[in-house]
Amino acid sequence: MLRILGRASSINVRKVLWTCAELDIPFEREDWGSGFKPTSAPEFLTLNPNAMVPVIQDGDFTLWESNTIIRYLATRHEAWALYPTAAKPRARVDQWIDWQASDLNRSWSYAFMSLVRQSPAHQDPDALAAGCAEWGRYMQILERQLIATGAYVAGTVFTLADIPVGLSVNRWFQTPLEHPHLPAVKDYYARLNERAGYRLHGSNGLP
Ligand SMILES: N[C@@H](CCC(=O)N[C@@H](CS)C(=O)NCC(=O)O)C(=O)O
């Protein structure tokens, strides 16, 4: 049985949970992370020296880094419809998965810490305005991509890339800021809400 370590409120843990739902992978989950067992515990640090969730254990194989975990699960379960084997379609999926982990994730950092976490260190109005603008700039990139595909982030069909990107869209709509009008992103959000896995794990918590 696949073991998932991490609180279900974490966006990065929810990537793994949603992937398991899409692929019908049975798992057991343990609550680790903020508000639960601390990731600074020595037994956790031996699994992930970064003290971050999620971590998975598949038999004697331990893995951390959420987007790597979802790629691993798709490959292990031969889910080629979600994660194609041919070089070009796979690279397109990987491109958007990596974009989420790097550029998009970085862009929301200040605004999320300020507006959702209410961090005292993130309450400078100018920095907040700049942070919201930066996040919006990346959401505009997503808007243009969704207009081009007419459906999902890597093309006309749902792929693994829609999991991290879809959870990021949930974060965007759940964060109390003035959202610019992005109709294709809004339609995409509605399209994702038609999926059972998304309804289960996509929108059930902020942090
Ligand atoms: N790059 C890592 C980031 C993981 C991460 O930021 N995890 C957060 C939760 S979303 C965490 O572990 N926070 C500390 C905690 O919950 O104790 C990944 O994608 O797996």
Side-chain angles (χ1 to χ4, degrees), residues 7 10-12 33-34 39 52-54 65-66 207:
R7 57 187 170 88
S10 145
I11 186 171
N12 292 306
S34 186
T39 54
M52 295 276 188
V53 294
E65 200 59 46
S66 59

Side-chain angles (χ1 to χ4, degrees), residues 75-203:
T75 304
R76 170 104 159 86
H77 293 269
E78 302 184 2
W80 309 135
L82 290 192
Y83 195 38
T85 50
K88 289 177 185 172
R90 170 162 294 205
R92 188 65 68 215
V93 170
D94 281 335
Q95 170 191 283
W96 288 104
I97 291 177
D98 289 341
W99 176 80
Q100 186 279 333
S102 52
D103 296 328
L104 182 60
N105 190 80
R106 189 174 48 238
S107 77
W108 72 51
S109 167
Y110 196 98
F112 181 75
M113 289 305 292
S114 176
L115 298 170
V116 177
R117 291 275 169 81
Q118 310 270 320
S119 154
H122 295 82
Q123 298 303 328
D124 176 69
D126 291 340
L128 176 57
C132 289
E134 183 69 350
W135 193 357
R137 192 168 74 79
Y138 281 96
M139 294 304 289
Q140 290 281 0
I141 292 171
L142 179 60
E143 171 77 5
R144 287 195 290 277
Q145 173 65 5
L146 292 170
I147 290 169
T149 66
Y152 296 99
V153 71
T156 55
V157 297
F158 180 86
T159 68
L160 205 57
D162 293 298
I163 294 177
V165 173
L167 289 165
S168 305
V169 168
N170 174 255
R171 171 154 293 184
W172 165 253
F173 282 117
Q174 296 284 344
T175 300
L177 52 79
E178 205 170 307
H179 296 94
H181 184 53
L182 300 175
V185 171
K186 203 168 167 217
D187 288 353
Y188 176 62
Y189 193 42
R191 206 169 293 125
L192 294 176
N193 268 292
E194 290 165 10
R195 306 187 78 84
Y198 186 79
R199 286 198 302 276
L200 264 178
H201 304 295
S203 53

